[in-house]
Amino acid sequence: GSTTQQNIGSGVQINLSIAGGPLVQVATTGSNSKFTYSATGIAKVTAYDFSVGSTSTYTAATDDVSIGLSPAKTRITKISVSPAHMVYGQKATLQGTVQYLSGKTWTDLPGATVQLSEGKTKLGTVDASASGAFSATLPSTHGLGWNAVVPEGNLIQQATATGNLSIAVPTKLQSLKVALGVNTELSVAGCLEVTVPVGYAPLTKIAIQYAAGSRGPWKTLGELQLRDIDASPRACGAATESYFSGSIRVRLANAYYRADFPSSYSFESVVSKPVHLWKYPTRITGYTVSPRSVRTGQKVTISGQLWVKTRGWQPFAHQKVEIIYNDKGTSYWGSLGTAKTNSHGDFKAYALGGAGTFVAIIYAQYGGGKTEFADRTTGDDLSINPHRSSVPAAPAAQASGSQAADTASTGSGLPVLLQPEQLGFADALETVLTATGELTSGYGRLTGS
């Protein structure tokens, strides 16, 4: 025989077993043999087994249907942080909206839970409103980054949003040392510290300022580079500390000085207390070298007058003035000793022309004191044996130092202007010659060879 499929008719009982559970009648067929069932509380893929029992006119039938969920894509949008820039410890407001993707349309998700953290610190949760919007407070004390998470659920996927905070952390000057040198330079050294445990410090620059009075107006004398832990001394070596040091030429003989670290989006400003430093200016006038051309053994006179400015320019009595010279065109510097000023500030020194043909540039310099700046004259040229066509031979190597000195100075005991190659034959003059080392004046450093 054969069978023909036809509608079962109305009033047929529909039974259901969920995930292998007991059979339960859930519906009956209508006039068109169709039935409707709504599944609820679905949390995972589940087997729904529908069945009808057999009768005298039809056999039993079953149909297994698996029903599961596809969580909707979720996002946190419309994010804002207010204020955009803040100081450490100032509360900020984080706002945003939670949405899910319905078909092709992003739709606000009401009541979503948002987990919040700042840095590595968890801040708790907030719930979105009926419009999906949420608002949270950030303390700005746990780090520069924030994180918001909507955890996954049965119907939604996880959503995450992150961002950075612009926080200016507080600073202080842990130490500051300033000193005024005789060479008109201000020596500065100090340590700038971030006073909260953030693990970093500034590596920009700090300004050194000066003013004629303790209340300003302040002007910038110069800037010093802030250095990190690798370049700093042990006293300023923490991760939250920056070291600075250097020398800057001063503009005023009597002034107040301070260190000024300007504020930025990352660091708060700090200014040191003013420090008062001063020295009296000095100067040498009437400087002469006479004559300007000498022969071997001929005497030359170096003279001038030293002044100091206290309430006005006054002769500076009973001070030492050093006479130095440079062999022109070379790096050799020598000393011709010192002269002492009289009650009128006048000084006078003598030297003798040595062997050879060369030009000596002669200077007078006052080295400064606890309350006075140094000063140095411009150099005056002195020609030694200018009319000789060649340099005479040096004394025999076996001659003693004292014999060489006597020969060079003709027995006068005065210092002698010598060239570097002649020094090996003038041992007796070691106390008045500087063949190597540094000579420091009020206007720079001169290094011999």
Side-chain angles (χ1 to χ4, degrees):
S2 63
T3 59
T4 302
Q5 289 186 349
Q6 61 183 14
N7 290 339
I8 199 171
S10 62
V12 176
Q13 179 177 317
I14 306 298
N15 301 315
L16 172 64
S17 172
I18 300 175
L23 281 172
V24 178
Q25 181 182 346
V26 293
T28 57
T29 59
S31 59
N32 58 359
S33 299
K34 294 182 179 181
F35 70 91
T36 300
Y37 172 76
S38 296
T40 60
I42 301 172
K44 61 181 179 180
V45 177
T46 306
Y48 288 76
D49 299 328
F50 294 92
S51 64
V52 293
S54 62
T55 67
S56 60
T57 58
Y58 53 83
T59 63
T62 62
D63 191 12
D64 298 336
V65 179
S66 293
I67 301 177
L69 298 175
S70 179
K73 289 184 177 180
T74 312
R75 72 179 184 181
I76 302 174
T77 186
K78 301 177 183 178
I79 298 169
S80 66
V81 177
S82 178
H85 306 287
M86 65 208 76
V87 297
Y88 185 88
Q90 180 182 359
K91 290 183 175 11
T93 301
L94 171 66
Q95 294 179 313
T97 299
V98 182
Q99 296 180 332
Y100 71 97
L101 186 60
S102 177
K104 295 183 178 180
T105 304
W106 284 102
T107 305
D108 295 338
L109 179 61
T113 297
V114 183
Q115 300 171 346
L116 297 160
S117 61
E118 183 182 273
K120 296 181 180 180
T121 302
K122 295 180 179 180
L123 302 178
T125 62
V126 294
D127 292 330
S129 66
S131 64
F134 70 91
S135 179
T137 299
L138 303 177
S140 78
T141 56
H142 302 298
L144 298 176
W146 60 263
N147 184 269
V149 177
V150 176
E152 64 179 352
N154 293 332
L155 299 177
I156 59 173
Q157 299 177 11
Q158 177 177 296
T160 301
T162 60
N164 292 321
L165 299 174
S166 177
I167 303 173
V169 295
T171 60
K172 75 173 185 179
L173 279 163
Q174 184 191 98
S175 64
L176 178 65
K177 296 180 180 179
V178 291
L180 186 57
V182 295
N183 57 350
T184 69
E185 285 194 347
L186 186 74
S187 298
V188 183
C191 184
L192 180 67
E193 179 187 6
V194 174
T195 59
V196 291
V198 293
Y200 59 87
L203 295 176
T204 52
K205 292 184 178 181
I206 189 168
I208 306 302
Q209 299 178 328
Y210 75 101
S214 61
R215 297 185 178 180
W218 296 94
K219 298 180 181 179
T220 298
L221 188 64
E223 294 182 328
L224 297 176
Q225 181 67 49
L226 293 167
R227 302 195 292 270
D228 60 15
I229 186 172
D230 293 332
S232 62
R234 292 183 180 179
C236 188
T240 54
E241 296 172 336
S242 297
Y243 179 72
F244 59 95
S245 65
S247 297
I248 307 173
R249 185 78 65 190
V250 299
R251 308 284 179 82
L252 300 175
N254 186 344
Y256 291 82
Y257 301 93
R258 71 178 189 180
D260 179 17
F261 179 68
S263 63
S264 67
Y265 289 148
S266 300
F267 301 96
E268 294 184 46
S269 64
V270 63
V271 180
S272 71
K273 294 180 179 180
V275 178
H276 185 207
L277 296 173
W278 59 273
K279 285 185 182 293
Y280 294 124
T282 62
R283 67 183 182 188
I284 297 173
T285 63
Y287 176 66
T288 59
V289 174
S290 180
R292 301 296 291 274
S293 175
V294 296
R295 300 182 303 276
T296 299
Q298 185 178 352
K299 186 167 70 173
V300 59
T301 302
I302 304 102
S303 60
Q305 188 177 18
L306 178 64
W307 299 78
V308 61
K309 187 177 183 180
T310 52
R311 296 181 179 179
W313 286 105
Q314 305 290 333
F316 203 5
H318 313 303
Q319 303 299 312
K320 290 182 179 180
V321 177
E322 185 178 13
I323 311 300
I324 59 175
Y325 74 99
N326 166 239
D327 184 356
K328 191 172 185 177
T330 75
S331 61
Y332 171 71
W333 288 83
S335 174
L336 297 175
T338 59
K340 195 169 186 179
T341 61
N342 61 19
S343 59
H344 301 290
D346 297 319
F347 65 89
K348 189 173 290 187
Y350 304 95
L352 299 177
T357 300
F358 63 101
V359 175
I361 308 175
I362 303 179
Y363 304 81
Q365 69 175 22
Y366 168 65
K370 290 183 178 181
T371 57
E372 296 84 25
F373 286 120
D375 186 51
R376 193 186 74 181
T377 66
T378 56
D380 277 4
D381 287 3
L382 173 67
S383 297
I384 314 297
N385 299 312
H387 303 299
R388 290 189 180 180
S389 59
S390 62
V391 179
Q398 64 270 21
S400 69
S402 59
Q403 291 172 333
D406 289 343
T407 302
S409 64
T410 63
S412 67
L414 295 177
V416 180
L417 292 151
L418 295 175
Q419 293 175 284
E421 60 267 23
Q422 298 169 325
L423 295 180
F425 308 102
D427 296 339
L429 300 179
E430 286 182 354
T431 57
V432 293
L433 293 173
T434 304
T436 59
E438 291 185 340
L439 299 174
T440 304
S441 74
Y443 296 96
R445 303 181 73 86
L446 303 172
T447 303
S449 61

